[in-house]
Amino acid sequence: MTVELISVGTEILMGNIVNTNAAWLAKECAALGLSCFYQSVVGDNEDRLKEQMKTSLERSDIVILTGGLGPTTDDLTKETAALLMGKKLVTDQHSLERVKAYFQVRGIEMTENNKKQALVPEGARVLDNDNGTAPGLILESGEKCMILLPGPPNEMKPLFEAQVKPFLKALNPCILYSRTVKLCGIGESKAAAMVQDMIDTQENPTIAPYAKTGEVHFRVTAQAQNEKEGKKLVKPVVKELKHRFGQAVFTTKEEETLEKALADLLLEKGLMISFAESCTGGMIAGRLVNVPGVSKAFGTGYVTYSNKAKRKLLGVKKSTLKQFGAVSVQTAKEMAQGALLASGADVAVSVTGIAGPDGGTDKKPVGLVYIGCCVQGRTFVQEYHFLGNREKIRESTVAAALTFARSCLLEYTGEKG
């Protein structure tokens, strides 16, 4: 079955609020085995809303709308849905009593316009809202269904979980079961090419690649009658992806991050790490400390943005900076070695580069970055060329540093993946 999402509210179109409802509902519907091909945002305008509802009903089995159920004149979702389906609005006495009780228990006088929230289309299924005044509604017409939910997430989510999800499960007994294989240290195009044969012949499960900064993810999704069957279908595909990509796979858990994978590796080996950061200004350490319990593997980091700081805190030679410059293989090497010595850690990672927008030359352009890693007495430095604005270059550098650190740990501490 297909589902379509419509978010109602001029404030979303104008960027006054972020549309988190659509992202949350899309994930929930996917888990229920519903296919979502369209999402849209419509302002508080009856004609445009009616047109979008009509289009959505023509191409989708289920249409879920959020927002526009309140007491004001610009709350038009319920009224427009009733008009489109040829239904009269009638007062639902149960909902009216709930609205009155909501205000009474809080000692607030209920204004007349709040009675509007108890008006429902004839024949609609009313969904009690335990966290607000506007009830949800389910309207069915033949094989089509419209589900109207309040806009505030703290009202919409619990209402969906308690009342809409069971309804949708009954309509569509199949589920979608997914696992994500996450890679680092390999580009999106190369990764996709390595599994093109699997993608070309896929049926159930399917493989969907997508990229984020410094990572490539493959989402493996199976349609099944239950979770047990879904796991069985997905397992051999995940196994094959792990076989093909080997050490580049840092996790197959949806919630696990690259920094979590690095932290787990450090904790497993009983090693402490330190960072010496120039152009990233502490962003690498900031990523790692997102991981709970990482204090057992990370205790000290250095932000050495200036040459003076590199000399004073890390012991980078003045002659090195003068001869090769702050952005160089030699400086990255001495930064890593200095951080290892100063912190007493087992592993040290250094970063120095030109994030821009200024400071680049023909020989050392913006985006040039050197990352060093000192582990078990050996120091390695890798050169990178990143594209984009200052923020993008710094984010790419952070991802590359975490990946390089992980790679060095796997390669030079006995772990072969």
Side-chain angles (χ1 to χ4, degrees):
M1 298 184 76
T2 58
V3 65
E4 186 160 341
L5 307 178
I6 303 176
S7 304
V8 183
T10 302
E11 67 276 11
I12 304 174
L13 288 175
M14 295 181 68
N16 297 130
I17 63 171
V18 177
N19 186 11
T20 59
N21 282 347
W24 188 85
L25 283 170
K27 187 174 289 188
E28 290 293 318
C29 289
L32 290 167
L34 298 169
S35 299
C36 183
F37 301 131
Y38 300 96
Q39 296 181 17
S40 56
V41 179
V42 186
D44 301 306
N45 178 279
E46 184 178 308
D47 292 336
R48 288 190 286 273
L49 183 54
K50 183 180 179 182
E51 182 181 351
Q52 183 59 60
M53 286 180 177
K54 183 179 179 182
T55 300
S56 299
L57 281 172
E58 287 173 352
R59 64 192 179 192
S60 301
D61 302 310
I62 303 163
V63 180
I64 301 177
L65 298 102
T66 54
L69 298 180
T72 61
T73 55
D74 64 346
D75 289 312
L76 300 165
T77 303
K78 175 173 52 184
E79 291 77 4
T80 307
L83 184 65
L84 182 65
M85 288 192 160
K87 305 282 188 180
K88 292 181 180 179
L89 287 173
V90 295
T91 298
D92 179 63
Q93 196 61 37
H94 171 72
S95 295
L96 181 59
E97 294 303 320
R98 285 178 61 88
V99 173
K100 288 179 178 178
Y102 181 90
F103 287 96
Q104 186 176 4
V105 75
R106 289 164 177 77
I108 303 171
E109 183 180 353
M110 189 183 87
T111 56
E112 191 67 21
N113 60 356
N114 277 289
K115 292 181 179 179
K116 174 178 180 285
Q117 295 178 97
L119 292 174
V120 304
E122 281 184 311
R125 182 185 302 193
V126 180
L127 309 175
D128 289 342
N129 179 0
D130 293 329
N131 298 282
T133 53
L137 298 165
I138 297 177
L139 288 72
E140 296 179 88
S141 179
E143 296 182 350
K144 301 291 183 176
C145 174
M146 293 181 73
I147 301 173
L148 282 52
L149 299 173
N154 62 349
E155 298 180 31
M156 183 275 291
K157 290 181 180 181
L159 199 156
F160 182 91
E161 288 281 359
Q163 300 179 68
V164 177
K165 186 181 283 189
F167 172 78
L168 293 175
K169 280 183 177 179
L171 288 181
N172 188 53
C174 290
I175 67 159
L176 291 182
Y177 178 80
S178 296
R179 281 188 69 186
T180 302
V181 178
K182 299 184 181 182
L183 318 177
C184 63
I186 186 169
E188 181 184 16
S189 56
K190 182 179 178 180
M194 289 174 66
V195 296
Q196 194 59 52
D197 60 315
M198 296 174 71
I199 293 174
D200 289 342
T201 57
Q202 66 184 357
E203 291 182 0
N204 186 33
T206 58
I207 305 171
Y210 62 99
K212 59 178 294 186
T213 302
E215 300 175 26
V216 178
H217 297 183
F218 287 99
R219 183 179 294 278
V220 184
T221 304
Q223 188 171 55
Q225 293 297 315
N226 51 57
E227 186 173 318
K228 184 178 179 180
E229 182 186 348
K231 286 181 178 179
K232 185 177 180 181
L233 289 167
V234 163
K235 185 177 180 179
V237 180
V238 171
K239 184 178 180 180
E240 178 61 22
L241 289 173
K242 290 172 72 175
H243 171 72
R244 294 193 184 196
F245 291 107
Q247 190 173 286
V249 177
F250 67 86
T251 187
T252 57
K253 297 177 182 178
E254 177 65 36
E255 69 282 359
E256 189 163 298
T257 61
L258 180 54
E259 56 265 31
K260 175 72 162 55
L262 176 60
D264 286 349
L265 191 58
L266 289 163
L267 291 168
E268 176 191 324
K269 295 177 177 298
L271 300 175
M272 293 291 291
I273 195 168
S274 179
F275 298 105
E277 303 183 55
S278 184
C279 63
T280 49
M283 291 171 64
I284 307 171
R287 278 276 295 268
L288 195 65
V289 298
N290 285 333
V291 182
V294 78
S295 59
K296 294 179 181 178
F298 173 59
T300 307
Y302 305 89
V303 176
T304 54
Y305 200 58
S306 68
N307 285 354
K308 183 179 179 181
K310 290 178 178 66
R311 295 198 311 270
K312 184 177 180 181
L313 296 176
L314 303 175
V316 176
K317 297 184 183 72
K318 190 174 183 178
S319 58
T320 299
L321 293 166
K322 185 176 181 180
Q323 182 178 355
F324 301 106
V327 181
S328 63
V329 172
Q330 293 80 4
T331 296
K333 183 176 181 179
E334 290 186 22
M335 286 174 67
Q337 292 171 339
L340 194 77
L341 183 64
S343 66
D346 306 293
V347 184
V349 177
S350 64
V351 166
T352 180
I354 305 170
D358 304 316
T361 65
D362 289 340
K363 289 186 177 180
K364 294 184 178 181
V366 170
L368 172 66
V369 174
Y370 292 100
I371 301 177
C373 184
C374 188
V375 55
Q376 291 193 343
R378 288 175 286 185
T379 306
F380 310 91
V381 179
Q382 198 155 311
E383 180 179 314
Y384 298 82
H385 292 267
F386 298 118
L387 299 176
N389 58 22
R390 183 178 178 85
E391 182 181 4
K392 179 66 174 177
I393 289 169
R394 295 176 76 212
E395 288 176 352
S396 297
T397 301
V398 172
L402 293 170
T403 298
F404 189 44
R406 176 179 176 272
S407 176
C408 288
L409 284 171
L410 290 173
E411 189 69 24
Y412 299 106
T413 58
E415 178 76 32
K416 296 300 180 183

